[in-house]
Every structure is written in C-alpha cells, then in structure tokens.
Amino acid sequence: MSTIYRIPAYAHVDENTTKQLEAYFCCSTVLYDYILTHSSQHFLIDSHGTFDKEGVKNEFVKIMGDNPIGQNIEVFCGLRENDPYPTYPFFGNTLAFGGMIPNYIKPIVYGAGGWPLFTDYTFVNMGIQTSDVGYGKIDGALTRYGSGGGYYGRSVYVDYTNRIMNFNMTICPDDAFSADGGINPKYLSPATIVFPGLNISLGFNSDGTVCGGIVVTAQGESVYAVDINTWLNGLKVDGPGTVIEDSDNPYSADGTSGPGGGNGKYGDIDGIEATDVPALPTINAASLGLVTLYNPSVAVVNSLASYLWSGMFDPASFKKLFADPMGCLIGLSVVPAIPSIQGSKNIMFGNVDSGISCDYLSSNYCNVDCGSVSVDEFVGSFLDYEPYCKLNLFLPYVGFVPLSADDIVGGSINVQYNIDVLSGHCVAFVKHSVKGVLYSYSGNCITNIPITSQSFTGALQSYYTGLSGIAGAALGALGSGGGGLVQTGAEIARTAANTVFDMHPTFQRSGSMGGAAAIMGVQTPFIVIQRPRFSVPNRVQKYVGQTSNITMNLSDCSGFTMCDYVHLDGISATSEEIMEMESMLRQGVIL
Amino acid sequence: MTLKLYKNYSDKIVVDKNITQSGSDITGTLREDCSIIDPVIAIEGLSDMSVNYAYITEFGRYYYINNIVCRGNLFELQMHVDVLKSFASGIRSNSAVIARQEKNYNLYLSDGVFKTEAIPHYEIRQFPTGFSGYHFVLAVAGA
C-alpha cells in the first residue's frame, strides 16, 4: 500500500456572519483523500467530501459549516507517495473561482512562526503586493517544498494584512554626505550624479520578522530574490513598515573612524618648469650717454697715456668742466669678456677731444656661455647619488661650489655668466639640461688699473681682499682636513657604503675667487666628480641577493630570497612550523 | 611507520634539497610518544652513519638528522622537521614583499651590504669654453 502524504491548507474565517459557511478547496493533482478539521467541528463535507476520492483532480471540494467566526479551517489533502507533481491544496479566491469562496474566508500561508508546517518552503521570485491590507496572490511563489521534493511553480495565497512594506532605497557612494550630514558639495554640481536606487518590498510575519522580499533595481532590469534577514544585516525591523537605523552614536556599529589619506596628487605632480638663464638687462649705463665705455687696445692705452701727460692736453679748457684732468676718467680696468662693439670714435674727456680713435661698447653687459658637460650615472645605482657621490664645480671668478648629485647626475649642466664690465660684477648660472637653472653665484671679474694715486690705493685694497680670501679658504681647508683625518683614522675598517661615504670629510677647494686675484686663476669651469669605488665580491647576489622591495609570488622567485613581510596561507602545518617558515623567509632562503 | 634515510648535500636555507636516499625504506612501529616536529626514533642496525636527512611517510615531512646517539645496537636519530622542503609547494603558492632577491632587484634602493674602498673614483671634466683673453675697458664720463 502506498504511503499517503497529507499536506495542509489553511484558511481563517474572520467575518461575522449568520449564514452557513460554504467554501471550497481544491488540489491540482490527484487527490487520494482529505481530512477537514476545524476548531469547533462545525463544518460538514459535501457529497464529494468523503474519503476514497481517488481520481479527483482540479475539482473543488465543498465545505459547509455553521458560523465559524474566528475559526481556522484546516484541510489536509492526501497525496500518494512519488506523485510526479505533488502539489499543495489551496483555497480558491472569489475572483479566480467565481465566488466559490466567500470573502470572509481568507486563505493563509504562514512562512514562519505560528504553525510551523511551512518552514521547508522557499519563496522566490515573489511579486509586489501593492496593497498594504488584505491578502494577495503570488504566482509562482512556491517553488520547492518538502525534503527531497520536486520543483513546481504555482500560486500561493498570502495574508499580507498589515504585513507589507514597500519602500525605495538609494544607493549612495561613501562620501555622499559630509560630516555635518549635508550633501557633499562635489555632488551638487550641475552634472547631477544620479545614484542608483532600489524598490524594495518586504513581507512580514505576525511577529514582525521579515518573511521574504523583493528587490527591483531603479532601471527595472533585474529582480532579485533575497534573503532579507541576511541582507539587512543587523538592521532592526520593528514592526511592519518601520526600519530603525542606528543614530549618530559614535559607539554604534558604524563608528566614526574611517579610511583616509592617499588622495594626494601623486602622479600628477611631476612636471618641471625649467628656468632659463635670464637675458641681459635692456637698460644700461652705456646707452644713457652719460658714460662712454671704450675698449682700447694696448696701443690705444699707450697713446692715451702719452696724450694725458703731453702738452697737447690743455688744462685750461678742461677746467671749465672738471677740477683736475682725471676727474672725467671713471676708471680703466681689465675684464675677461667684452660686450659687443658699437663703433669707433675719438676718446673725449668732457669737451676735449683727445684725437685718439677707439672702439666703444654698446652696453656694459655681456653673456659668456661656457658650454655643457654631461654627468652620467657611473654604476646605475644608489651609489651615483647623495650622499655617496660628491660634485664640486669650479667657476672662474667665483671659486669652487658644491653641487648636489641628486640634482645633477643623469643630465648635463651648462654654465653661463652674465657680466657687468662697468662694475665687474658677474653672476654664474648653473643650468641643468632638464631642470633649468638650479644654482647661481655672484663674483667679481674686474681688475682695476690705477690711473691716479687714489685709484691705486683702491686697487691694492681690492688685491689684498682677494688674497685674504685665498688664505681664509686655505685655513678652512686645513681645519676641516684635520678633523677629517681623525675620523678617517678611527674608521680603519671600511664597512657599508652608506656609512663610509658619510665619513669622508668635505674639503673646501678654494676661497672666494674674484677681482684682481681671480684674473690669475683658472679661466675655464670644470667639475670634480667624486664617486665611491665600491667593492663587489664575485656573485654576491647568490649569497645575499640585492635590494628588491617588490611584492612577488614566491613561485616567481628563484635563488636567494629574503622577505620583508610574508603571511603564509593555505599551508596545512602546525603553527610552530608556520612560524619557523616565516622566520626563515625573513632571514633568507634559496628558492 | 616508514622511514626513508637520505644524504643531504644542501644548505638548510635551500628549499629544494639535493638528497640521495641511503639504503631501502625502514619500517617499524612507534613504541613511545613521538613529536611530529622533533621526532626521536630509534632504529636497529644503522649501516650508514653518514645519513643526515630523513622522510617519515606517515608524518608527511622531511627531517634533518641533527644527531645520532648509539645505544648498543640501537641508533637513536634525533631529528627536526625541515619546513622548507616539507611545505615547499605551499610556500611557493604564497606571495610576499621581497626585501632582497637574487634576480629581481632595484639597485636604486640604498644597500648597506656593499662596501667601498678608501680611495674614491675621480672624474674631472672641463667645460668646452671659458674666458679667453683679457680686455681693457675705459670708462669716461660723457658721451
């Protein structure tokens, strides 16, 4: 004999009526038997309502009873084991079945709580219940029942009275709102950013727990069945239609701490707006007409001297403008560069024409370009840069100046001078091929030739100033050299490069180099590049590797490998073994 | 229990050891408590005293033989697990931040391992041109 499974259907009579109850239920598959129960035993079963109803399918069974207000009707339909499509008995509604079920009969399905007979059901693809009262029909809601049961889609009637909530939810980015709760100004731009939204319907059980739900995207493209209780993930549902969110309590689960930083302009700030050597001043003393700068040759200077001390020079006419003959001579000097020649004319002392023709200058400024020298990487490593590599540049009329290897190495440097031949001041510009002018130094490149006793005193003063600069530099070099010797002696054993080169003393290679002394000095710039001579044992990489600081799969590494940080996962070993492995990886292994 | 004895010719930090099995497998029964990390196993009649490495099939691990203690005809092998060889595939399935590597390196990172000699290397380069010649400049008031 086959086992008969009796599956229940429920209805509730919630209307006060005096007439006799008359209801129907149906089973869409072969019905083998049924049992009708009720609280007060007021119901009768019609002529069909006898046992041994095998063969009845899609045929309504009539239920008759007396005034069962507030009673639950339970019908158990017997289905044969292994029925290919066992289905659930249900009460028809008035629309679908022509009023065979009175309005006061409300079919019920309980998802949870109450009668626990439906706990094995899974509701998916639920439709939206538009009314918040009454009950509704959901097509295809019941897709599975019973352990090991088959799949079958059909309608289920659900009592949603006061148990439905429809609401919309907007999905916002994390920074949609500022700290004060207002909308982040970045989202108030004319190009309004539309955040995606969701239409959500939730069904609730009588005890307030969520029994199911539906989520529809704002675009209406997809419908997702969700496990609402899991999805809400901690939100407290306090009765139908009310979702209580956490307040701004800083100790709530949300907290106040969040990620930050890392939003700099990294990657965008790598531009170099190189500065060029400035052009010469356009306004100069020579162009004003108050001063004339001549560029006499030695012969012209000799002629001039002869003229000044000869009878040809008429002091009487000269004294109309100047107290003595030398009053109009501003100076005679020697410079290493000369501005462009504008032309030739007789040298004039006030209104006295010497009759000696001489070239004169268009400007008192000139530029001297000494060309470029490239400073390439020597090793192609950290040893090519500070503090290991030291650069010193000799600039005529300035002296030795230190340059940063970080600034220079890998490019070329160009040296240019802007010179004022009237005052003798010069500015030396050190220009990098990519980064532009990085250094500028001032000096003096003039040697005054005394043409009076007073100017001779001034010239000597300038000369001694130059010598004292050299002497001071020499003393400074000796002082720092002594200290350096002590340090070098103490560090007999050469250790790491970064230690050793810090120990090297820095010697000053010259003092201020300018004026009368500088004219006797080196006239061409040169650079002294001092690099560490490193000692590399053969195949040192095999024994200690080389600096890496790269995140890699260990399977991609071969040879000596030392890890900074490693967390071993997926290895079935004891914790002691894991610790030993991580320790060895940090100390270095050979893969 | 099955014990395989080997001669290991590799350093301890080498993951893939160069090993050669010595003799045939030794089977026996554990008679006392035995650590899986530092097992001590006594065997009878050890013929090759140059073995220094072992594999215990039941433990699934390779072991260094740290010491062999003779007790009459019993030879007590004091061992310690070789985690690198035993879990080589698991180690290789992980990633890490590599501090030093033999073939993947960045030489612009400062490295204290390298040593330098006392005598530095000098390079002195002259610029193509400089100041050449001297010039008189006579400055006179007036045009």
Side-chain angles (χ1 to χ4, degrees), chain A residues 439-490:
Chain A
Y439 303 87
S440 63
Y441 300 94
S442 64
N444 193 288
C445 61
I446 202 169
T447 299
N448 289 311
I449 297 175
I451 51 179
T452 67
S453 59
Q454 290 174 341
S455 62
F456 180 72
T457 305
L460 282 180
Q461 188 176 7
S462 172
Y463 174 76
Y464 288 126
T465 302
L467 286 183
S468 66
I470 296 174
L475 288 172
L478 283 173
S480 60
L485 286 174
V486 172
Q487 286 181 316
T488 307

Coordinates of all heavy atoms in Angstrom, one line a residue, chain A residues 439-490:
Chain A
Y439 N 71.4 76.6 -9.9 CA 72.3 77.3 -9.0 C 72.7 78.6 -9.7 O 72.8 78.7 -10.9 CB 73.6 76.5 -8.7 CG 73.4 75.1 -8.2 CD1 73.1 74.0 -9.0 CD2 73.5 74.9 -6.8 CE1 73.0 72.8 -8.4 CE2 73.3 73.7 -6.2 CZ 73.0 72.6 -7.1 OH 72.8 71.4 -6.6
S440 N 73.0 79.6 -8.8 CA 73.6 80.9 -9.4 C 74.5 81.5 -8.3 O 74.1 81.4 -7.1 CB 72.5 81.9 -9.8 OG 71.7 82.3 -8.7
Y441 N 75.6 82.0 -8.7 CA 76.6 82.5 -7.8 C 77.1 83.8 -8.3 O 77.3 84.0 -9.5 CB 77.8 81.6 -7.6 CG 77.4 80.2 -7.1 CD1 77.2 79.2 -8.0 CD2 77.3 80.0 -5.7 CE1 76.8 77.9 -7.5 CE2 76.9 78.7 -5.2 CZ 76.7 77.7 -6.1 OH 76.3 76.5 -5.7
S442 N 77.4 84.8 -7.4 CA 77.9 86.1 -7.8 C 79.4 86.1 -7.6 O 79.9 85.5 -6.7 CB 77.2 87.2 -7.1 OG 77.5 87.1 -5.7
G443 N 80.1 86.9 -8.4 CA 81.5 87.1 -8.3 C 81.9 88.5 -8.8 O 81.1 89.3 -9.2
N444 N 83.2 88.7 -8.9 CA 83.7 89.9 -9.5 C 84.8 89.6 -10.4 O 85.8 88.8 -10.0 CB 84.2 90.9 -8.4 CG 84.4 92.3 -8.9 OD1 85.3 92.5 -9.6 ND2 83.5 93.2 -8.6
C445 N 84.8 90.1 -11.6 CA 85.8 89.7 -12.6 C 86.6 90.9 -13.1 O 87.1 90.9 -14.2 CB 85.1 89.0 -13.7 SG 83.9 90.0 -14.6
I446 N 86.6 92.0 -12.4 CA 87.3 93.2 -12.9 C 88.6 93.4 -12.1 O 88.7 93.0 -11.0 CB 86.4 94.4 -12.7 CG1 86.8 95.5 -13.7 CG2 86.4 94.9 -11.3 CD1 85.8 96.6 -13.7
T447 N 89.6 93.8 -12.9 CA 90.9 94.3 -12.3 C 91.1 95.7 -12.7 O 91.2 96.1 -13.8 CB 92.1 93.4 -12.8 OG1 91.8 92.1 -12.5 CG2 93.4 93.9 -12.2
N448 N 91.0 96.6 -11.6 CA 91.2 98.0 -11.9 C 92.7 98.3 -12.1 O 93.5 97.9 -11.3 CB 90.6 98.8 -10.8 CG 89.1 98.7 -10.7 OD1 88.4 98.9 -11.8 ND2 88.5 98.4 -9.6
I449 N 92.9 99.2 -13.1 CA 94.3 99.7 -13.3 C 94.4 101.1 -12.7 O 93.6 101.9 -13.1 CB 94.6 99.7 -14.8 CG1 94.6 98.2 -15.3 CG2 96.0 100.3 -15.0 CD1 94.8 98.1 -16.8
P450 N 95.2 101.3 -11.8 CA 95.3 102.6 -11.2 C 95.8 103.6 -12.2 O 96.9 103.4 -12.8 CB 96.3 102.4 -10.0 CG 97.1 101.2 -10.4 CD 96.2 100.3 -11.2
I451 N 95.1 104.7 -12.3 CA 95.5 105.8 -13.1 C 95.7 107.0 -12.3 O 96.2 108.0 -12.8 CB 94.5 106.0 -14.2 CG1 93.1 106.2 -13.6 CG2 94.5 104.9 -15.2 CD1 92.0 106.5 -14.7
T452 N 95.4 107.0 -11.0 CA 95.8 108.0 -10.1 C 96.3 107.4 -8.8 O 96.2 106.2 -8.6 CB 94.6 108.9 -9.7 OG1 93.7 108.1 -8.9 CG2 93.9 109.5 -10.9
S453 N 96.9 108.2 -7.9 CA 97.3 107.6 -6.6 C 96.2 107.1 -5.8 O 96.3 106.0 -5.1 CB 98.1 108.6 -5.8 OG 97.2 109.8 -5.6
Q454 N 95.0 107.7 -5.9 CA 93.9 107.3 -5.1 C 93.3 106.0 -5.7 O 93.0 105.0 -4.9 CB 92.8 108.3 -5.2 CG 93.1 109.6 -4.4 CD 92.1 110.7 -4.6 OE1 91.3 110.7 -5.5 NE2 92.2 111.7 -3.7
S455 N 93.3 105.9 -7.0 CA 92.7 104.6 -7.5 C 93.7 103.5 -7.3 O 93.3 102.3 -7.3 CB 92.4 104.8 -9.0 OG 93.6 105.1 -9.7
F456 N 95.0 103.8 -7.2 CA 96.0 102.8 -6.9 C 95.8 102.2 -5.6 O 95.8 101.0 -5.4 CB 97.4 103.3 -7.1 CG 98.5 102.3 -6.8 CD1 98.8 101.3 -7.7 CD2 99.2 102.4 -5.6 CE1 99.7 100.4 -7.5 CE2 100.2 101.4 -5.4 CZ 100.5 100.4 -6.3
T457 N 95.5 103.1 -4.6 CA 95.2 102.6 -3.2 C 94.0 101.7 -3.3 O 93.9 100.6 -2.7 CB 94.9 103.8 -2.3 OG1 96.0 104.6 -2.3 CG2 94.7 103.3 -0.9
G458 N 93.0 102.1 -4.0 CA 91.8 101.2 -4.1 C 92.1 99.9 -4.8 O 91.6 98.9 -4.4
A459 N 92.9 99.9 -5.8 CA 93.3 98.7 -6.5 C 94.0 97.7 -5.5 O 93.8 96.5 -5.5 CB 94.1 99.0 -7.7
L460 N 95.0 98.3 -4.7 CA 95.7 97.5 -3.8 C 94.7 96.9 -2.8 O 94.9 95.7 -2.4 CB 96.8 98.3 -3.1 CG 98.0 98.6 -3.9 CD1 99.0 99.4 -3.0 CD2 98.7 97.2 -4.3
Q461 N 93.8 97.7 -2.3 CA 92.8 97.2 -1.3 C 92.1 96.0 -1.9 O 91.9 95.0 -1.3 CB 91.9 98.3 -0.9 CG 90.9 97.9 0.2 CD 90.1 99.1 0.6 OE1 90.1 100.1 0.0 NE2 89.4 98.9 1.7
S462 N 91.7 96.1 -3.2 CA 91.0 95.0 -3.8 C 91.9 93.8 -3.9 O 91.5 92.7 -3.7 CB 90.6 95.5 -5.2 OG 90.0 94.4 -6.0
Y463 N 93.2 94.0 -4.2 CA 94.1 92.9 -4.3 C 94.3 92.2 -3.0 O 94.2 90.9 -3.0 CB 95.5 93.5 -4.8 CG 96.6 92.5 -4.8 CD1 96.7 91.6 -5.9 CD2 97.6 92.5 -3.9 CE1 97.7 90.6 -5.9 CE2 98.6 91.6 -3.9 CZ 98.7 90.7 -4.9 OH 99.7 89.7 -5.0
Y464 N 94.4 92.9 -1.9 CA 94.6 92.3 -0.6 C 93.3 91.5 -0.2 O 93.4 90.5 0.4 CB 95.0 93.3 0.4 CG 96.5 93.7 0.2 CD1 96.8 95.1 0.1 CD2 97.5 92.8 0.1 CE1 98.1 95.5 0.0 CE2 98.8 93.2 0.0 CZ 99.1 94.5 -0.1 OH 100.4 94.9 -0.3
T465 N 92.2 92.1 -0.6 CA 91.0 91.4 -0.2 C 90.9 90.0 -0.9 O 90.5 89.0 -0.3 CB 89.8 92.3 -0.7 OG1 89.8 93.5 -0.1 CG2 88.4 91.6 -0.4
G466 N 91.4 90.0 -2.1 CA 91.4 88.7 -2.9 C 92.4 87.8 -2.2 O 92.1 86.6 -2.0
L467 N 93.5 88.2 -1.8 CA 94.5 87.3 -1.1 C 94.0 86.8 0.2 O 94.1 85.6 0.5 CB 95.8 88.1 -0.9 CG 96.7 88.3 -2.1 CD1 98.0 89.0 -1.7 CD2 97.0 87.0 -2.8
S468 N 93.3 87.7 1.0 CA 92.8 87.2 2.2 C 91.7 86.1 2.0 O 91.6 85.2 2.8 CB 92.2 88.4 3.0 OG 91.1 88.9 2.4
G469 N 91.0 86.2 0.9 CA 90.0 85.2 0.6 C 90.7 83.9 0.4 O 90.2 82.8 0.9
I470 N 91.8 83.9 -0.3 CA 92.5 82.6 -0.6 C 93.1 82.1 0.7 O 93.0 80.9 1.0 CB 93.7 82.9 -1.6 CG1 93.1 83.3 -2.9 CG2 94.5 81.7 -1.7 CD1 94.1 83.7 -3.9
A471 N 93.7 83.0 1.5 CA 94.2 82.5 2.8 C 93.2 81.9 3.7 O 93.4 80.9 4.3 CB 95.0 83.7 3.5
G472 N 92.0 82.6 3.8 CA 91.0 82.1 4.6 C 90.5 80.7 4.2 O 90.2 79.8 5.0
A473 N 90.4 80.5 2.9 CA 90.0 79.3 2.4 C 91.0 78.2 2.7 O 90.6 77.0 3.1 CB 89.8 79.3 0.9
A474 N 92.3 78.5 2.6 CA 93.3 77.5 2.9 C 93.2 77.1 4.4 O 93.3 75.9 4.7 CB 94.7 78.1 2.6
L475 N 93.0 78.1 5.3 CA 92.9 77.8 6.7 C 91.7 76.9 6.9 O 91.7 75.9 7.7 CB 92.8 79.1 7.5 CG 94.1 79.9 7.6 CD1 93.9 81.2 8.3 CD2 95.2 79.1 8.4
G476 N 90.6 77.3 6.3 CA 89.4 76.5 6.4 C 89.6 75.0 6.0 O 89.1 74.1 6.6
A477 N 90.3 74.9 4.9 CA 90.6 73.5 4.4 C 91.4 72.7 5.3 O 91.2 71.6 5.6 CB 91.3 73.6 3.0
L478 N 92.4 73.4 5.9 CA 93.3 72.7 6.9 C 92.4 72.3 8.1 O 92.6 71.2 8.6 CB 94.4 73.6 7.3 CG 95.6 73.8 6.3 CD1 96.5 74.8 6.8 CD2 96.2 72.5 6.1
G479 N 91.6 73.2 8.6 CA 90.8 72.9 9.7 C 89.9 71.7 9.5 O 89.9 70.7 10.3
S480 N 89.2 71.7 8.4 CA 88.3 70.6 8.1 C 89.1 69.3 7.8 O 88.7 68.2 8.1 CB 87.3 70.9 7.0 OG 88.1 71.2 5.8
G481 N 90.2 69.5 7.2 CA 91.0 68.4 6.8 C 91.5 67.7 8.1 O 91.6 66.4 8.1
G482 N 91.9 68.4 9.1 CA 92.4 67.8 10.3 C 91.3 66.9 11.0 O 91.6 65.8 11.3
G483 N 90.2 67.5 11.0 CA 89.1 66.7 11.6 C 88.8 65.5 10.8 O 88.5 64.4 11.3
G484 N 88.9 65.6 9.5 CA 88.6 64.5 8.6 C 89.7 63.4 8.8 O 89.3 62.2 8.8
L485 N 90.9 63.8 9.0 CA 92.0 62.8 9.3 C 91.7 62.0 10.5 O 91.8 60.7 10.5 CB 93.3 63.4 9.4 CG 93.9 64.0 8.0 CD1 95.2 64.7 8.3 CD2 94.2 62.8 7.1
V486 N 91.2 62.6 11.5 CA 90.9 61.9 12.8 C 89.8 60.9 12.5 O 89.9 59.7 12.9 CB 90.5 62.9 13.9 CG1 90.0 62.1 15.1 CG2 91.7 63.8 14.3
Q487 N 88.8 61.3 11.8 CA 87.7 60.4 11.6 C 88.1 59.3 10.7 O 87.8 58.1 10.9 CB 86.6 61.2 10.9 CG 85.8 62.1 11.8 CD 84.7 62.8 11.1 OE1 84.9 63.3 10.0 NE2 83.5 62.9 11.7
T488 N 88.9 59.6 9.7 CA 89.3 58.5 8.8 C 90.2 57.5 9.5 O 90.0 56.3 9.3 CB 90.1 59.1 7.6 OG1 89.3 60.1 7.0 CG2 90.4 58.1 6.6
G489 N 91.0 58.0 10.4 CA 91.8 57.0 11.1 C 91.1 56.1 12.0 O 91.4 54.9 12.2
A490 N 90.1 56.7 12.6 CA 89.2 55.9 13.5 C 88.5 54.8 12.8 O 88.1 53.8 13.3 CB 88.3 56.8 14.3

